[in-house]
Amino acid sequence: MIALILRDLRRAYASGGATLIVAFFLLVAILFPFAVGPDQKLLARIGGGVIWAAALLAALLPVERLIGPDLDSGAIDQFAMRGLSPATIAAAKIAAHWLAFAPPLMMATIAAAGLLDLSGDNLLRVEIGLALGTPGLAALAVATAALVAGLRGAGAIAGLVMLPLAIPLLIFGAGAIEGGTGGLKLLAATSLLLVAGAPFIAGAAIRAGME
């Protein structure tokens, strides 16, 4: 399982996928102030929500590459022959996806906070929220990738599947900035539920794709 995580991590960084995710995240943070104007109070009030929306879209960006290529190449069949269950494969891919996008994204959030005029306290709450919520985003992305693997236009379909399911994370993540520990607890609970359930959902979809 560790070897599978390291394999996917190497592939993410070698293909430039992790860099693309961070660049996309920062691009959203840069463009948003141009869209709403230079009102610092407005930017500070909505900045946390902007960061969470950008993080959600960044997690969705590589969804076509998470499961589909390994199913098409037969790599998942090889993993299964070595005794790895589809749920275990999915769990390893969730861990690898989280490691590939979440730590760089959390570092990029510091630059985004400056662009959106977030205070130090709000930045700390956003970072804590991302640490709690991004595992749920990674789990949701891998489960979605498994469900749409092999379909024509998988990227567009993945967006339609994942975005509505991610609304609770988005609401609790953005709300945790003003809601204190209560919002963070709801965010952590939602993320934990997704991390616990996604490997089995993705595993079932992978098993169906192997048949």
Side-chain angles (χ1 to χ4, degrees), residues 7 11 66-77 79 93 145-150 202 205-211:
R7 168 187 175 271
R11 187 169 64 178
L66 295 177
I67 300 291
D70 283 344
L71 269 178
D72 294 339
S73 67
I76 288 182
D77 292 315
F79 298 144
K93 287 187 171 292
L147 290 170
V148 303
I206 290 171
R207 189 179 294 111
M210 293 168 60
E211 295 176 355

Side-chain angles (χ1 to χ4, degrees), residues 16-164:
T19 304
L20 182 62
I21 289 172
V22 174
F24 177 83
F25 174 80
L26 287 175
L27 182 61
V28 173
I30 291 170
L31 291 178
F32 200 85
F34 289 103
V36 301
D39 188 335
Q40 293 184 340
K41 291 183 179 180
L42 176 61
L43 289 174
R45 189 168 67 250
I46 64 176
V50 173
I51 288 174
W52 264 98
L56 168 59
L57 295 174
L60 177 63
L61 198 61
V63 72
E64 288 185 87
R65 301 193 300 271
L66 295 177
I67 300 291
D70 283 344
L71 269 178
D72 294 339
S73 67
I76 288 182
D77 292 315
Q78 295 296 320
F79 298 144
M81 290 177 61
R82 297 181 183 183
L84 291 176
S85 68
T88 301
I89 295 170
K93 287 187 171 292
I94 289 170
H97 183 42
W98 183 84
L99 290 171
F101 92 92
L105 185 142
M106 291 175 68
M107 289 188 288
T109 298
I110 298 173
L115 294 167
L116 296 168
D117 202 36
L118 289 183
S119 66
D121 289 341
N122 283 345
L123 173 59
L124 178 61
R125 293 190 189 97
V126 170
E127 292 284 15
I128 293 172
L130 287 174
L132 295 172
T134 47
L137 288 179
L140 194 54
V142 171
T144 302
L147 290 170
V148 303
L151 299 179
R152 180 177 298 178
I157 297 172
L160 294 175
V161 172
M162 180 176 172
L163 292 178

Side-chain angles (χ1 to χ4, degrees), residues 130-205:
L130 287 174
L132 295 172
T134 47
L137 288 179
L140 194 54
V142 171
T144 302
L147 290 170
V148 303
L151 299 179
R152 180 177 298 178
I157 297 172
L160 294 175
V161 172
M162 180 176 172
L163 292 178
L165 296 176
I167 287 176
L169 282 175
L170 187 64
I171 292 173
F172 295 141
I177 300 172
E178 302 295 337
T181 57
L184 289 175
K185 288 178 182 177
L186 288 171
L187 175 62
T190 305
S191 183
L192 181 61
L193 180 64
L194 290 171
V195 171
F200 300 101
I201 296 171

